[in-house]
Amino acid sequence: MDQLKNLGKRVRALRKARKMTQEKLSELAEMNPKYIGEIERAETNPTYTTLAKIAYALGISLSELFAFPKGKEAATMKETLTAEITAILKRGNIKQAKLILEIAKTVERCIR
């Protein structure tokens, strides 16, 4: 499959996992919502700067943007859970974020 199509599908999957509209993503990335649609439909070849803005708006690194999942596992459980946790952290305050971090660290120690 074409790399632009893979990229477009990846942007769309990440956006939807975060329950974001194209308009919201474009607002956070400071670009035109039509351009987000063009990227998702592989109608344009975005620049590095554009991709960096999109990654930042999605709350991920550029390398995560290019971490293309294989096959039907494209919307993996881990990716979905990570997006949900990120959304909870963004809505909460610093005290809640610290508590969530401590819980995650405790769980990590328990499953080692």
Side-chain angles (χ1 to χ4, degrees):
M1 186 181 280
D2 177 61
Q3 288 301 318
L4 280 180
K5 286 183 182 179
N6 284 337
L7 177 63
K9 286 181 178 184
R10 178 78 171 145
V11 170
R12 178 175 282 137
L14 290 166
R15 176 180 60 77
K16 287 187 173 190
R18 286 155 180 76
K19 296 177 177 28
M20 248 187 234
T21 63
Q22 287 181 347
E23 290 76 17
K24 183 63 177 175
L25 177 57
S26 67
E27 178 186 321
L28 294 172
E30 300 177 342
M31 57 185 60
N32 189 309
K34 290 181 181 179
Y35 191 53
I36 298 293
E38 290 172 2
I39 292 169
E40 290 184 359
R41 293 186 304 274
E43 295 173 353
T44 189
N45 190 357
T47 65
Y48 175 87
T49 302
T50 297
L51 294 173
K53 287 180 178 182
I54 290 171
Y56 181 80
L58 290 169
I60 61 171
S61 67
L62 256 176
S63 62
E64 287 175 286
L65 183 61
F66 287 98
F68 300 118
K70 306 270 190 270
K72 291 196 175 193
E73 296 84 44
T76 63
M77 180 67 84
K78 183 176 179 182
E79 191 171 286
T80 301
L81 292 172
T82 300
E84 288 180 33
I85 291 167
T86 301
I88 290 169
L89 289 169
K90 285 182 179 181
R91 288 192 304 267
N93 59 38
I94 190 73
K95 186 176 179 180
Q96 292 167 328
K98 286 180 179 180
L99 178 60
I100 290 169
L101 177 61
E102 286 305 311
I103 292 168
K105 285 179 177 180
T106 301
V107 169
E108 183 180 41
R109 282 191 300 269
C110 290
I111 60 174
R112 281 188 186 169

